[in-house]
Amino acid sequence: DMASNADSVWIASEGGATHWLYDHETEEYTTARYTTANGMPGNDAQAVDIDGNGNPFFVIANVGLAVYIRASDEWRPIVLNLNDVGECARTPTTEMRDITINRETGTLYVSFTGGVVYGTPGNWSCWPRGAGIPDGEVKKVDLAPNGDVWVTTEIGAARYRNGSGWTRFVPPRLP
């Protein structure tokens, strides 16, 4: 997975994370690699997005969420417990798939196999699959430029719009 913001590109991979930073003076990129050897909570980074402050948030397999705070050069785990994930997951670390962040509000949207958990640390809610989101394993969550939340599952997609709720887009079933 990959996310970019301003002069930064962050890449999540099975071998950790890579940060590419563009230097306007040299017109070149410099790179930094992050793994457990230099503080990353786990090496299997599955997804990444960047907040409004330029800090990357990662979904890390069997670990959960973590953010790299660039200003202090430190990794911080974001702990989710069973109460936080509700009906969206059986465990808060092993079923996490994707993350997207509203850079204006700071709201995180984290997809789990069973739904989407959204909010901020300590203030989470769950949209379970089957309740607006098509009833299939959730794969990805993303934001449209107008703030709509889009979710894809094994059997379709759905859009959440503030004020009007969910709209499902499911292909017709064949006989």
Side-chain angles (χ1 to χ4, degrees), residues 23-41:
D23 183 325
H24 289 273
E25 190 173 302
T26 65
E27 296 183 352
E28 296 290 333
Y29 283 91
T30 57
T31 62
R33 186 100 173 110
Y34 298 92
T35 65
T36 54
N38 56 5
M40 190 171 176

Side-chain angles (χ1 to χ4, degrees), residues 83-146:
N83 291 332
D84 294 327
V85 299
E87 297 176 60
C88 288
R90 292 180 302 261
T91 67
T93 57
T94 60
E95 298 176 18
M96 210 177 277
R97 296 291 179 258
D98 192 32
I99 184 170
T100 192
I101 303 169
N102 183 319
R103 291 181 182 165
E104 293 177 13
T105 66
T107 302
L108 282 71
Y109 298 87
V110 182
S111 66
F112 287 79
T113 56
V116 175
V117 172
Y118 65 98
T120 55
N123 186 29
W124 300 104
S125 295
C126 166
W127 286 321
R129 71 184 196 192
I133 297 172
D135 192 17
E137 185 175 303
V138 175
K139 298 295 185 182
K140 187 154 179 62
V141 60
D142 213 342
L143 293 177
N146 69 349

Side-chain angles (χ1 to χ4, degrees), residues 159-167:
R159 178 195 70 220
Y160 181 84
R161 178 171 287 164
N162 278 333
S164 57
W166 287 101
T167 302

